[in-house]
Amino acid sequence: MINIICSVKDRAADAFGRPLFVASKGIALRSFTDEVNRAAEDNQMYNHPDDFDLYELGTFDDSTGIIRMLPQPVVLAMAKSVKV
């Protein structure tokens, strides 16, 4: 199965977080949206949505172990655009 490799970038820290491997872009977007809208005192994405963006980095084929990276990360969503 081909998995999408994604990462959340924290603009304030100017750093990408640990990559996530998901079955589809839709699942990545749903998880990101859910987290951005999860009200919690310690949830930085909820408290500072202007600082976070979800990026697609490439693909991982779990049947061959082959990772294919995109030439440049591609923005899938900005936290401020999915905040309800």
Side-chain angles (χ1 to χ4, degrees):
M1 176 176 173
I2 303 295
N3 291 277
I4 306 299
I5 306 169
C6 297
S7 180
V8 175
K9 183 174 183 182
D10 179 341
R11 286 197 244 170
D14 194 27
F16 284 88
R18 181 173 291 148
L20 314 164
F21 295 78
V22 293
S24 70
K25 291 179 193 179
I27 291 172
L29 288 166
R30 180 178 61 202
S31 296
F32 181 68
T33 300
D34 287 349
E35 185 61 16
V36 168
N37 290 290
R38 183 180 60 83
E41 188 176 310
D42 64 340
N43 184 349
Q44 296 301 309
M45 283 195 268
Y46 179 81
N47 293 320
H48 306 283
D50 289 340
D51 292 343
F52 296 93
D53 303 316
L54 176 67
Y55 284 82
E56 179 182 1
L57 305 178
T59 60
F60 168 66
D61 186 333
D62 66 5
S63 64
T64 64
I66 294 173
I67 294 174
R68 290 194 170 90
M69 301 305 291
L70 297 172
Q72 293 290 321
V74 174
V75 177
L76 294 178
M78 297 167 55
K80 66 182 177 184
S81 70
V82 299
K83 180 92 183 247
V84 183

